[in-house]
Amino acid sequence: MTDKNVFIRPCTWIYLLLMALTFVTWFIGTMQFSGLQISLMVLGFALLKGQLIGDYFMGLKQVSGFWRWAITIWLLLVGSLITFAFNLTA
Amino acid sequence: MEKSKWPPGDLVIWIFIMAELLVFGVFFSAYAFTRANHVELFNTYQLTLDRNAALINTLALITSSYFVVRAVAAIRNDNSQRCFHWLLAALFMGVVFLVVKGAEYQHHFAHGVNLSTNTFYMFYLSLTFFHFLHVILGMVILIAVALKAKAGGYSASEYTGVETGASYWHMVDLVWMVLFPLVYVMR
Amino acid sequence: MKYESQKVAKLYFIAAIGLFVGQILFGLIMGAQYVIGDFMFPEIPFNVARMVHTNLLIVWLLFGFMGAAYYLVPEEAETELFAPWLANLMFWIFLVAGAATILGYLLVPYATLAELTMNDMLPTMGREFLEQPTITKIGIVIVALSFLFNIGMTILKGRKTVVNLVLLMGLTGLAVFFLFAFYNPTNLVMDKYYWWWVVHLWVEGVWELILGAILAFILIKTTGVDREVIEKWLYIIIAMTLITGIIGTGHHYYWIGAPEFWQWWGSIFSAMEPIPFFMMTVYAFNMVNKRRRNHPNKAAVLWALGTAVMAFLGAGVWGFLHTLAPVNYYTHGTQITAAHGHMAFYGAYVMIVLAMISYAMPLMRGREACNSARSQSMEMWSFWLMTISMVFITLFLTGAGILQVYLQRFSDNPMDFMVVQDKIALFYWLREIAGLIFLVGLVLYIASFFVGKSEPEATVELAK
């Protein structure tokens, strides 16, 4: 089977990437960096992580039509609302 | 690879997932917009949260999700026992999450924090506890799947149940990916 | 009908319909009193009419639920009812107690009724919807426990299906939460707080499980779709109902003195309560579209689809309209609430009971599958008359409510309550007319049981 190459291996790389992005977020948090740009960057990482989980872990990359983009749509909606709210005080 | 029209697992769980995501989405937005009116308050009390604990928990959930991916891969290879073991590993990471989160609550409660302390804590406790309940529900689902896998209830030709449980668990992970930066980091 | 003991449901259904007629008559009296203040005074004062209208609703729906359970549980469990005699006995006890209570409301002043029934010993009277004398409440508990015992034993000895378990869960919840009717703390905040455990957790919690189970049963029977498919939907619908409904109780805690976080919890979770209703609509239509046979009882299918749509509109959409705390700040306790209450009860609970009666009654009266075409056609007329007039009642009350909120609470020069009531009288008149049409629909509904009795059963073209 090629499952190992087309399924497990990409997911392993994604897993490592998710871990790395988490460390970056944590580092920013620990340093107590603040401000709109920093916040939006952190949010961007979060949305990217969400997209990766949807695409690879949940396997939506292999899906077409509405469900292909269901998670993406949610991330974009939530992301824009949060962005908008943080912009209110910037 | 041929693209499918439907997501992995039972379609019904996906409708449930979307409904759950909607609730979390509303909760996140409510947090963000309320924060806009109380920036000082939110920034002050955010610092009382334990980011190291949140880091451990984020890593625990991602790792757990990855283990579930491996469980799905195992059953695709018709290996029920390996599937079961990966699910056990995933469940273990779930326990780690619950223990660490429980310790955080313990700490806050010991300081007399409750839902009425202030708006920030109200959101922090509500959001994380609602998510906490989802971790528990997700684990219950995974336990059911694991037991059926151990009993040989799935095979390479029929493993919808594994994918169904996996999809729900990934959703629990996904929600935390937004919750962690929003509540613990963004300021 | 497969089991002889299912027939006990018949008594319950007949009583339900009888009390339904009473409820509508008192509704019409009260509707008239909105515009002609002394109508039927002093024989039937407004507060008494209201009490009878709401209490009859609850009692007849309980009769309906019990009848539905007695019919459905043996068939699902594939065994005779544990104790049919107990079901019959409880029927008469419940009917006599219910009738005596209503007569008590009508014949003596409420305070006298309280004295007569020794309310002082265990005071539980005087709270909206829970006005029943303590002794009646104890009677309800006894009836509910024997009913649960009967149903539970039947399920235990028979096949355990998801439909039965969900129904049992709902009915148990109904009985358990009713116990809070006996808890009557002196602190007003606490009093209201737990009062909602009966009222809200019934209609926005456990009753929805009963609704889901009955609907699932009717869909399984009329569409021939695989039980597994229907059960899966039932699972997520009840999960969503419980997640949103239980915490959604908070939308009653905004202004009663409960902690402030309830404004958030109540708003967010109750705003999600339409989701399970929406799922129910999607699922009901999906199942009917995927049907493997055309059931000749078209009226029952119509009621089942109707309940899915009207429950979503009445409970879901009209509930959402005024559930968010900032909106509810203005709309609380206005005609908006009445509008929501009418369509939600009709859509979610009246219609599901009528759907069950529509499905089961012909079978209990000796038909093979359904009534004659003439009877069904009349029943479907009554469906449309009642449903459309209920839509209009809701719309008129919504109009009245919007105007009321504006004039009384929102405008720069807010007016007194009674002045505003005068100004919205036109809407009350229109509501009363719609109510009369509803009564016509109800009369047709009852007539449909008696027409075409000697004619053959309706048939359908062969399934595709």
Side-chain angles (χ1 to χ4, degrees):
Chain A
M1 282 293 287
T2 55
D3 215 34
K4 208 165 183 117
N5 299 318
V6 299
F7 185 52
I8 299 180
R9 195 156 298 160
C11 281
T12 307
W13 283 112
I14 295 302
Y15 168 61
L16 295 173
L17 182 55
L18 289 171
M19 299 285 270
L21 286 171
T22 301
F23 273 106
V24 175
T25 303
W26 167 80
F27 180 73
I28 291 171
T30 312
M31 290 290 119
Q32 297 174 19
F33 290 142
S34 63
L36 187 63
Q37 272 85 24
I38 301 280
S39 287
L40 292 186
M41 187 175 80
V42 171
L43 180 65
F45 288 152
L47 300 182
L48 174 63
K49 283 158 79 179
Q51 185 64 31
L52 294 173
I53 290 173
D55 280 356
Y56 292 90
F57 286 10
M58 290 173 143
L60 295 186
K61 223 170 173 244
Q62 310 303 330
V63 177
S64 64
F66 166 77
W67 291 104
R68 169 71 187 93
W69 303 111
I71 297 291
T72 317
I73 294 167
W74 180 78
L75 287 168
L76 285 179
L77 265 177
V78 173
S80 7
L81 283 168
I82 296 174
T83 307
F84 184 79
F86 271 74
N87 261 298
L88 288 176
T89 51
Chain B
M1 244 170 113
E2 184 71 19
K3 286 206 173 185
S4 150
K5 195 164 166 275
W6 304 110
D10 204 304
L11 185 64
V12 171
I13 198 75
W14 281 90
I15 293 170
F16 192 54
I17 287 174
M18 291 319 281
E20 296 262 49
L21 286 179
L22 181 61
V23 184
F24 275 108
V26 171
F27 235 135
F28 291 155
S29 310
Y31 172 96
F33 281 95
T34 309
R35 176 190 171 276
N37 290 323
H38 308 89
V39 178
E40 286 282 315
L41 178 95
F42 274 56
N43 282 351
T44 307
Y45 288 97
Q46 189 182 58
L47 292 181
T48 66
L49 304 187
D50 186 348
R51 267 162 299 275
N52 295 335
L55 170 72
I56 296 170
N57 270 346
T58 313
L59 300 180
L61 281 187
I62 295 176
T63 308
S64 185
S65 242
Y66 176 70
F67 287 169
V68 166
V69 166
R70 299 298 301 254
V72 173
I75 197 66
R76 281 196 196 180
N77 263 326
D78 215 8
N79 195 332
S80 289
Q81 282 315 303
R82 181 169 290 173
C83 172
F84 171 68
H85 289 139
W86 280 117
L87 286 174
L88 276 193
L91 280 165
F92 175 75
M93 298 316 285
V95 173
V96 170
F97 181 95
L98 294 182
V99 169
V100 172
K101 196 73 220 157
E104 269 185 273
Y105 286 141
Q106 178 76 36
H107 168 82
H108 290 298
F109 293 153
H111 285 74
V113 170
N114 63 46
L115 283 167
S116 298
T117 304
N118 63 45
T119 311
F120 175 78
Y121 280 127
M122 193 284 289
F123 270 108
Y124 163 73
L125 292 175
S126 306
L127 265 172
T128 55
F129 189 67
F130 189 50
H131 179 267
F132 191 81
L133 292 179
H134 281 77
V135 175
I136 295 174
L137 177 60
M139 287 174 68
V140 170
I141 295 176
L142 285 189
I143 289 170
V145 172
L147 289 179
K148 189 169 169 189
K150 188 179 166 57
Y154 301 107
S155 67
S157 51
E158 175 44 49
Y159 55 91
T160 314
V162 183
E163 287 186 331
T164 303
S167 298
Y168 190 80
W169 190 246
H170 293 317
M171 185 277 287
V172 175
D173 184 21
L174 170 72
V175 167
W176 183 262
M177 289 308 117
V178 179
L179 199 160
F180 165 51
L182 182 65
V183 176
Y184 286 81
V185 178
M186 289 168 67
R187 45 194 292 110
Chain C
M1 204 182 65
K2 292 182 183 133
Y3 300 91
E4 196 51 34
S5 53
Q6 287 176 282
K7 267 206 179 131
V8 299
K10 200 166 158 187
L11 278 179
Y12 283 84
F13 287 154
I14 293 171
I17 295 170
L19 297 172
F20 183 22
V21 175
Q23 187 218 343
I24 300 310
L25 292 178
F26 278 89
L28 286 169
I29 292 173
M30 197 188 357
Q33 288 170 337
Y34 264 87
V35 274
I36 310 170
D38 55 359
F39 181 71
M40 297 200 74
F41 187 83
E43 283 74 26
I44 305 176
F46 178 83
N47 64 314
V48 172
R50 185 175 192 279
M51 200 157 66
V52 175
H53 180 63
T54 53
N55 279 232
L56 277 178
L57 167 70
I58 298 166
V59 171
W60 89 256
L61 288 178
L62 291 180
F63 269 111
F65 289 162
M66 289 187 190
Y70 282 132
Y71 185 87
L72 172 167
V73 166
E75 186 151 336
E76 282 285 299
E78 295 184 334
T79 172
E80 292 286 353
L81 193 62
F82 181 74
W85 62 271
L86 185 62
N88 278 322
L89 178 69
M90 284 305 137
F91 169 79
W92 291 108
I93 293 181
F94 195 29
L95 189 68
V96 170
T101 304
I102 300 292
L103 286 178
Y105 290 162
L106 290 169
L107 296 180
V108 295
Y110 192 66
T112 316
L113 183 64
E115 266 176 48
L116 285 175
T117 56
M118 293 180 286
N119 186 56
D120 280 349
M121 288 174 65
L122 175 62
T124 64
M125 290 174 75
R127 294 187 296 169
E128 199 183 1
F129 310 132
L130 303 179
E131 295 96 343
Q132 309 83 27
T134 304
I135 180 123
T136 307
K137 290 198 181 87
I138 294 171
I140 293 176
V141 171
I142 293 171
V143 170
L145 286 181
S146 340
F147 163 72
L148 274 180
F149 169 74
N150 212 347
I151 292 293
M153 291 305 284
T154 311
I155 291 176
L156 269 183
K157 76 175 171 138
R159 181 172 69 139
K160 281 131 199 99
T161 67
V162 175
V163 171
N164 262 354
L165 294 179
V166 170
L167 184 69
L168 186 63
M169 222 165 103
L171 294 168
T172 310
L174 187 154
V176 168
F177 288 120
F178 185 70
L179 295 179
F180 287 93
F182 293 93
Y183 184 53
N184 197 4
T186 40
N187 180 331
L188 256 187
V189 178
M190 297 293 277
D191 177 14
K192 274 288 180 192
Y193 196 90
Y194 289 106
W195 179 78
W196 284 114
W197 283 33
V198 187
V199 178
H200 172 98
L201 290 179
W202 265 20
V203 298
E204 294 174 63
V206 290
W207 283 27
E208 285 182 45
L209 307 194
I210 300 172
L211 160 66
I214 300 178
L215 185 62
F217 175 78
I218 296 174
L219 289 174
I220 289 174
K221 292 290 163 186
T222 56
T223 63
V225 170
D226 275 348
R227 175 178 289 278
E228 289 69 36
V229 178
I230 285 177
E231 285 171 348
K232 243 168 16 198
W233 278 94
L234 190 55
Y235 272 130
I236 59 155
I237 287 172
I238 63 158
M240 219 48 217
T241 298
L242 292 177
I243 291 173
T244 60
I246 292 175
I247 310 181
T249 316
H251 68 171
H252 303 291
Y253 293 166
Y254 299 159
W255 328 116
I256 64 167
E260 197 187 316
F261 66 83
W262 282 113
Q263 294 192 10
W264 287 100
W265 281 30
S267 296
I268 292 173
F269 285 90
S270 69
M272 300 297 144
E273 282 184 47
I275 295 175
F277 283 109
F278 183 67
M279 286 175 177
M280 213 179 278
T281 315
V282 174
Y283 132 87
F285 277 87
N286 239 315
M287 294 307 109
V288 172
N289 282 335
K290 280 204 244 167
R291 68 183 178 275
R292 294 225 291 253
R293 61 200 175 105
N294 286 321
H295 198 278
N297 194 340
K298 285 194 184 141
V301 177
L302 181 63
W303 283 111
L305 290 178
T307 199
V309 174
M310 296 301 288
F312 171 64
L313 284 179
V317 177
W318 254 262
F320 180 78
L321 278 183
H322 58 144
T323 197
L324 299 175
V327 177
N328 194 268
Y329 182 72
Y330 291 102
T331 61
H332 194 84
T334 63
Q335 292 300 322
I336 302 278
T337 312
H340 163 56
H342 278 81
M343 203 197 249
F345 265 107
Y346 177 73
Y349 301 123
V350 172
M351 290 179 88
I352 192 64
V353 170
L354 297 188
M356 190 65 194
I357 293 178
S358 182
Y359 172 76
M361 209 56 160
L363 305 174
M364 287 190 291
R365 295 170 88 205
R367 293 282 197 178
E368 279 296 311
C370 66
N371 281 327
S372 65
R374 196 147 73 93
S375 162
Q376 283 199 46
S377 145
M378 185 178 268
E379 189 180 343
M380 288 195 269
W381 266 96
S382 79
F383 168 93
W384 289 111
L385 274 176
M386 287 198 272
T387 304
I388 291 173
S389 52
M390 185 50 81
V391 169
F392 276 100
I393 289 175
T394 306
L395 289 175
F396 293 141
L397 288 177
T398 308
I402 292 171
L403 207 56
Q404 183 190 7
V405 168
Y406 182 78
L407 294 176
Q408 194 183 311
R409 297 180 175 171
F410 200 80
S411 73
D412 291 335
N413 304 302
M415 298 180 207
D416 285 344
F417 176 81
M418 285 313 285
V419 176
V420 173
Q421 291 299 307
D422 259 353
K423 295 206 179 284
I424 57 181
L426 176 65
F427 285 103
Y428 290 146
W429 277 112
L430 293 170
R431 183 267 299 266
E432 185 71 353
I433 295 169
L436 284 168
I437 299 174
F438 189 95
L439 180 66
V440 174
L442 180 57
V443 170
L444 272 189
Y445 176 75
I446 293 167
S448 78
F449 287 91
F450 300 100
V451 301
K453 266 170 91 172
S454 50
E455 291 169 27
E457 291 189 17
T459 50
V460 280
E461 63 280 24
L462 285 173
K464 35 183 190 175

